[in-house]
Amino acid sequence: MLILKQLEEIPMIQLHPEFITRNGKKEFAVIPYEEFEALQELIADIEDLMDLRAAKEEEANQPSVPLAEVKRLLGLET
């Protein structure tokens, strides 16, 4: 799947979690706020990538208009 291949190319964030345990089992992981922000940005980027890929796939078989024709139609020819 193309999206998975692209996700493999995203640099990994180094995480430094601290674990909170209960009865000897890990219950929660706490990370520095900067790492949390970096994870949020990464998730947003991945969501954007997935949305872009879905939109491109949805429009794949739609007719297109060459840029030169669009410029001509808009009177932007040079």
Side-chain angles (χ1 to χ4, degrees):
M1 181 176 239
L2 183 59
I3 291 175
L4 292 177
K5 180 162 178 56
Q6 290 170 329
L7 293 178
E8 290 173 357
E9 297 171 6
I10 296 174
M12 296 303 297
I13 297 172
Q14 292 294 321
L15 298 179
H16 303 90
E18 294 287 328
F19 297 101
I20 299 173
T21 60
R22 183 182 300 169
N23 299 325
K25 293 175 70 177
K26 293 179 183 175
E27 288 281 323
F28 301 95
V30 180
I31 58 173
Y33 187 70
E34 295 80 21
E35 292 175 7
F36 172 76
E37 286 182 316
L39 284 172
Q40 282 187 311
E41 287 180 30
L42 179 60
I43 291 168
D45 289 346
I46 292 169
E47 288 173 341
D48 290 346
L49 175 62
M50 292 172 69
D51 290 344
L52 174 63
R53 291 293 174 210
K56 287 177 76 173
E57 186 175 315
E58 185 177 307
E59 298 292 322
N61 296 320
Q62 298 297 318
S64 61
V65 179
L67 180 58
E69 178 68 11
V70 172
K71 287 181 177 182
R72 187 188 66 72
L73 292 170
L74 295 174
L76 301 174
E77 293 177 327
T78 55

